[in-house]
Every structure is written in C-alpha cells, then in structure tokens.
C-alpha cells in the first residue's frame, strides 16, 4: 500500500489556547477543515510537536487571552516557531450562549474561530527587557505605599500609648530622620512594660526604606540606559514632571509609536 505524506505547506493553521497553569485547552483550525481540540500540558514544545505531527509544514498562528501568564506564553511559543498574538478578553466576540456556557472548551474554540475570521487584534507585546524595567517602577510604587502605611502605624501606636512627639520634631519634615528614629528606639516607652510591637514596626520601616532606596538606585541607572536616556532628558524639561513620573511614563508607554493618531 502506498503511503501518502500529508503536508499543509502554504496553509495557515490557526490555534486558540485557553491557558492555565498546568494545562492548556487547545483548539486547532486549518484554513480548510474542521476545528479539532485537545488538552495538553502547558508546554509550547509539546504543542509544536503535536502540530508538526498532525499539521506538518503549516504556517502556525496562535492566540491566547492576556492573563496571569503575561507574555511568558507568547515568548515560549515564538521560541519554538509558532507565531502568536495576545488579546484582551473583552475584545473577543462572544455570543449569549458562550457567556452562559463558559468552559475551557468553549473558550479555546471561540478564540480559534475568531482568529480564523480575522476578528482579533493583538495587544502590544513588550520587549523582554522592558518587562523587568516596568516591574521595577511598579514595585517601587508599591514599596513606597507600604512605607507610608508603616510610618502611619508607628504614629498611631504612639498616639494610642499617650506618647507625645518632642518639640524638636515639631516640623513634620524632621520626622523619620536619623535623630527621630533614634528617639523612637531609645526614649519611647509604651503603656506596657515592653515595647516589642513598636520595635517590630520600626524594624519594618527601616527594612522597607532600604528596599525603596535600592529600587530608586536601580531606576536611576535605568534612566541612563540608551533606550531611555534621550527621552528621559526631554521629559525632565517638562514643568511638573520629575524623575519618578518620567520613568513611569517611559516604562509603561515604552514605544509611543504603538499609539495610532487617527486625527
């Protein structure tokens, strides 16, 4: 019996992936043919091997919804040779049935059908180095909020224990100076005979301050990198925009050309 080698050369193979931590629900639709689906381990290599076996020589194009996996799935697929777009869940056309009968199977099939029909526009894919840069700026903002929270807890504890702040620290700008923290450590007594709670809070303030300083140092180094420096210098000339806001704009927007001006 003669054996025929199937080839999908010149055909687009559309793939819809419902991404989960341990497994993917995958729906595959060739240009001509029916949609087939399967569940597999969350692995780009395993998906690529499946496609090479069942849809050899095809032009693979996958789609998944942005979510907890971020851009890791996108880059994993690209590395094995599967083109990919990432879309926002709200941008996927959804019927009333699909809203009511929402399952992994429905989601993956919905994705692949919308992709094949040309109804999906992918979101902006960030370059790998920008992902970490943006995270640094976001973490610094979170740490800054945490620091403010712990400082407020310390002052609330002082108030609840009837501790008055000395007149030499009457100016709020002197609060959290080295002298102020030394006073907190050496001279403050609480209603109880111990002050373990206050010591824990002070230690937390000092730890978070060190983290905030380190994040700020990293941001300053980032601002001098070639990919940011010229734009950073321009932003710093704008009244009302300082170091932190400049780096926030640069890392969040990154490439301003991705925004289309239709005016």
């Amino acid at each position: 019996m003669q054996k025929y080698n199937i080839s999908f050369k010149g055909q687009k193979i559309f793939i819809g992936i419902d991404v989960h931590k341990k497994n993917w629900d995958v729906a595959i639709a060739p240009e001509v043919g029916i949609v087939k689906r399967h569940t597999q381990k969350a692995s780009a290599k395993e998906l690529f091997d499946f496609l090479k076996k069942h849809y050899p020589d095809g032009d693979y194009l996958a789609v998944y919804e942005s979510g907890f996996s971020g851009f890791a799935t996108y880059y994993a697929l690209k590395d094995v040779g599967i083109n990919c777009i990432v879309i926002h869940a709200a941008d996927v056309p959804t019927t009333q049935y699909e809203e009511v009968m929402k399952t992994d199977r429905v989601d993956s099939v919905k994705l692949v059908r919308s992709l094949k029909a040309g109804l999906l526009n992918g979101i902006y894919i960030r370059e790998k180095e920008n992902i970490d840069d943006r995270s640094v700026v976001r973490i610094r903002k979170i740490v800054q909020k945490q620091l403010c929270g712990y400082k407020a807890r310390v002052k609330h504890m002082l108030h609840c224990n009837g501790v008055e702040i000395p007149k030499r620290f009457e100016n709020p700008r002197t609060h959290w100076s080295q002298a102020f923290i030394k006073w907190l450590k050496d001279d403050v007594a609480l209603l109880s005979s111990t002050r373990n709670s206050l010591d824990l809070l002070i230690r937390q303030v000092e730890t978070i301050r060190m983290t905030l300083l380190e994040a700020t140092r990293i941001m300053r180094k980032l601002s001098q990198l070639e990919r940011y420096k010229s734009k950073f210098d321009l932003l710093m000339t704008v009244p009302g925009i300082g170091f932190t806001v400049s780096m926030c704009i640069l890392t969040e927007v990154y490439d301003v050309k991705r925004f289309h001006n239709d005016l």
Side-chain angles (χ1 to χ4, degrees):
M1 181 181 293
Q2 186 175 0
K3 183 178 180 181
Y4 294 93
N5 293 323
I6 300 174
S7 175
F8 289 82
K9 188 173 183 179
Q11 288 192 48
K12 289 184 178 180
I13 307 299
F14 302 97
I15 307 118
I17 309 173
D18 192 54
V19 177
H20 296 277
K21 182 178 180 181
K22 294 185 178 180
N23 56 65
W24 293 348
D25 193 90
V26 181
I28 303 173
E31 285 188 22
V32 179
I34 62 174
V35 176
K36 294 184 179 181
R37 56 168 298 278
H38 70 277
T39 300
Q40 63 159 76
K41 183 176 69 174
S43 166
K45 176 68 166 56
E46 184 172 307
L47 176 59
F48 181 73
D49 290 342
F50 181 91
L51 293 170
K52 293 294 287 184
K53 179 179 180 181
H54 297 279
Y55 303 90
D57 305 319
D59 183 10
Y60 309 127
L61 177 60
V63 61
Y64 71 94
E65 294 178 354
S66 59
F68 77 96
S69 66
F71 297 110
T73 300
Y74 169 85
Y75 281 111
L77 292 169
K78 292 284 287 184
D79 287 345
V80 297
I82 301 175
N83 291 321
C84 180
I85 65 171
V86 185
I87 51 101
H88 192 284
D91 294 335
V92 184
T94 304
T95 65
Q96 185 178 7
Y97 171 81
E98 290 167 341
E99 289 181 352
V100 175
M101 302 297 293
K102 181 175 174 59
T103 64
D104 296 344
R105 177 175 181 175
V106 169
D107 286 346
S108 60
V109 172
K110 176 179 62 175
L111 284 171
V112 77
R113 285 177 175 167
S114 299
L115 179 64
K116 185 176 180 179
L119 301 176
L120 302 179
N121 293 314
I123 64 174
Y124 173 71
I125 304 299
R126 294 184 174 274
E127 296 181 11
K128 290 182 179 180
E129 66 268 14
N130 174 239
I131 295 173
D132 186 55
D133 296 347
R134 183 182 65 167
S135 294
V136 168
V137 177
R138 289 183 173 184
I139 289 171
R140 184 188 180 279
K141 185 176 181 180
I142 292 170
V143 170
Q144 192 171 32
K145 287 183 177 180
Q146 290 177 334
L147 181 59
C148 291
Y150 275 102
K151 286 179 177 180
R153 289 184 182 96
V154 170
K155 288 190 176 181
H156 180 258
M157 181 171 289
L158 297 179
H159 178 73
C160 290
N161 283 269
V163 178
E164 294 187 5
I165 297 177
K167 288 186 177 181
R168 67 179 184 274
F169 301 123
E170 188 174 0
N171 187 343
R173 293 184 179 181
T174 62
H175 294 180
W176 308 109
S177 61
Q178 290 184 356
F180 183 80
I181 293 178
K182 187 175 187 305
W183 168 74
L184 286 174
K185 289 181 175 180
D186 299 341
D187 301 331
V188 173
L190 304 183
L191 293 175
S192 303
S193 58
T194 59
R195 41 166 287 162
N196 294 322
S197 56
L198 179 60
D199 290 335
L200 287 171
L201 287 178
I202 294 172
R203 193 176 309 150
Q204 195 68 16
V205 167
E206 291 180 319
T207 300
I208 295 176
R209 284 182 74 173
M210 291 299 296
T211 304
L212 181 62
L213 288 171
E214 180 62 22
T216 303
R217 278 194 284 267
I218 294 173
M219 281 176 56
R220 292 196 182 280
K221 289 181 181 179
L222 290 176
S223 70
Q224 299 305 304
L225 294 179
E226 183 179 353
R227 59 179 177 268
Y228 296 122
K229 185 171 177 12
S230 60
K231 295 176 183 177
F232 174 80
D233 292 341
L234 284 174
L235 283 171
M236 289 294 287
T237 65
V238 179
I241 295 183
F243 164 72
T244 303
V245 175
S246 295
M247 288 307 298
C248 182
I249 292 173
L250 291 175
T251 54
E252 292 290 345
V253 175
Y254 195 62
D255 182 10
V256 72
K257 294 179 181 178
R258 65 189 175 99
F259 296 103
H260 300 291
N261 186 358
D262 298 325
L263 298 178

